Amino acid sequence: YASSGIYESEALAFRPLLGEPFILLRTEILKRSVRERDEGERAKQIRRILISFGGSDLPNMTCMVLRQLKAYSRDLELDLVLGQANPHRDSCRHRIYLHEHVENMATLYATADFVIGAGGSSCYECLFFEVPMAVMSSAENQDGIVNWLVSEGLAYNLGTGEREDDQFRDILFGALDSDLSKLKRKRIDGYGAARVAGFLDDGLWWRHPRDADCEQYFHWVNDPDVRKNAIQNEEISFVEHQRWFGGKVE
């Protein structure tokens, strides 16, 4: 997480590439085949949770969450991701799928109803998949991300893990009992690397068309200057355009 104030300088002339448009995501995460999720398939009640606190989780936040979940009323399915440097193990009555040396995080995000984890760069991956989350700040450099997520209404703040008390449990259980259909979502579009590359080149970048682009293309194709210079000058109907655009996207 970075803000423009960190890089202010009177001696250098530069343009900081900061904010959501320039977020860089791993190639694995950008596989659209596992990202797409029909709106009707979104669960209104949490059944499956992905728990991931990074490579080491030295404060043992993983076990803190698992201890609290032992007292949770509903049965859950838990995908527990442990990094190579994580020394902690615990047991829980919920059905746990343990994942180590993980290379399929995209699939885990795509199948999760909710994510509990640290406030690191993985939060941007949750936003890419539009998965609601509860986050804990395990290091000072995560405070900026956590504060931004909470202020935007995109995540529940579970604190720093210093106190495992009733307040921590109330926030966690309150998040798990929430109606997911009412939670605010923000999608990271995944084109941060392309924008950065375009800026370093000539300022242009490209991406593959999506179904959501159909209306924008419709306005372009019926622009008066476009129609005037086209072989056929008649305005194109939206139904005809949809048929053409659908064939091109496929």
Side-chain angles (χ1 to χ4, degrees):
Y1 181 86
S3 62
S4 57
I6 300 176
Y7 301 99
E8 289 180 354
S9 172
E10 297 180 357
L12 299 175
F14 65 95
R15 176 187 170 186
L17 305 180
L18 304 175
E20 298 160 37
F22 300 104
I23 288 175
L24 307 179
L25 298 176
R26 296 178 289 162
T27 302
E28 172 204 346
I29 299 299
L30 294 175
K31 293 178 180 177
R32 295 182 61 181
S33 61
V34 294
R35 178 194 180 193
E36 301 299 339
R37 183 189 299 190
D38 180 40
E39 291 293 334
E41 295 179 356
R42 296 188 185 281
K44 292 186 177 181
Q45 188 179 64
I46 295 171
R47 296 187 298 267
R48 187 162 191 153
I49 301 176
L50 171 60
I51 301 174
S52 177
F53 283 94
S56 60
D57 186 20
L58 295 180
N60 203 5
M61 293 178 172
T62 300
C63 288
M64 180 185 301
V65 170
L66 289 176
R67 280 193 295 269
Q68 295 299 326
L69 290 179
K70 288 180 180 179
Y72 188 60
S73 58
R74 289 189 291 110
D75 288 336
L76 301 167
E77 293 186 1
L78 308 179
D79 286 298
L80 180 59
V81 176
L82 298 180
Q84 289 181 307
N86 193 315
H88 310 296
R89 298 290 186 275
D90 199 7
S91 60
C92 182
R93 70 173 175 81
H94 303 290
R95 181 180 299 175
I96 296 179
Y97 304 95
L98 181 61
H99 304 271
E100 300 180 276
H101 313 293
V102 176
E103 297 181 355
N104 65 328
M105 282 300 297
T107 301
L108 295 177
Y109 286 126
T111 56
D113 298 322
F114 198 78
V115 173
I116 302 174
S121 58
S122 60
C123 294
Y124 300 135
E125 298 174 351
C126 291
L127 294 180
F128 180 74
F129 283 93
E130 296 187 272
V131 186
M133 66 188 109
V135 293
M136 300 172 70
S137 181
S138 60
E140 185 177 349
N141 62 0
Q142 296 181 356
D143 291 345
I145 297 178
V146 171
N147 292 337
W148 173 70
L149 290 170
V150 174
S151 66
E152 291 286 320
L154 299 170
Y156 294 94
N157 188 355
L158 296 178
T160 61
E162 295 179 355
R163 297 178 59 185
E164 187 178 351
D165 52 16
D166 291 341
Q167 183 179 6
F168 174 83
R169 176 179 295 186
D170 290 343
I171 296 174
L172 176 60
F173 287 9
L176 298 182
D177 290 333
S178 62
D179 184 348
L180 297 186
S181 65
K182 297 180 180 180
L183 289 179
K184 184 177 178 181
R185 300 177 189 270
K186 181 187 289 288
R187 171 171 285 185
I188 299 298
D189 65 17
Y191 294 109
R195 292 188 180 95
V196 172
F199 181 81
L200 296 176
D201 189 6
D202 54 10
L204 298 176
W205 62 280
W206 69 275
R207 62 170 172 79
H208 293 288
R210 300 174 296 197
D211 291 340
D213 297 322
C214 183
E215 186 173 352
Q216 181 63 63
Y217 273 75
F218 176 68
H219 292 308
W220 286 342
V221 77
N222 278 318
D223 181 274
D225 288 335
V226 174
R227 301 280 15 107
K228 182 175 64 176
N229 292 280
I231 296 176
Q232 297 181 354
N233 305 124
E234 297 81 7
E235 185 171 314
I236 298 173
S237 71
F238 189 64
V239 172
E240 183 182 358
H241 170 73
Q242 280 183 308
R243 188 185 309 115
W244 173 85
F245 188 82
K248 293 298 183 181
V249 171
E250 290 176 1

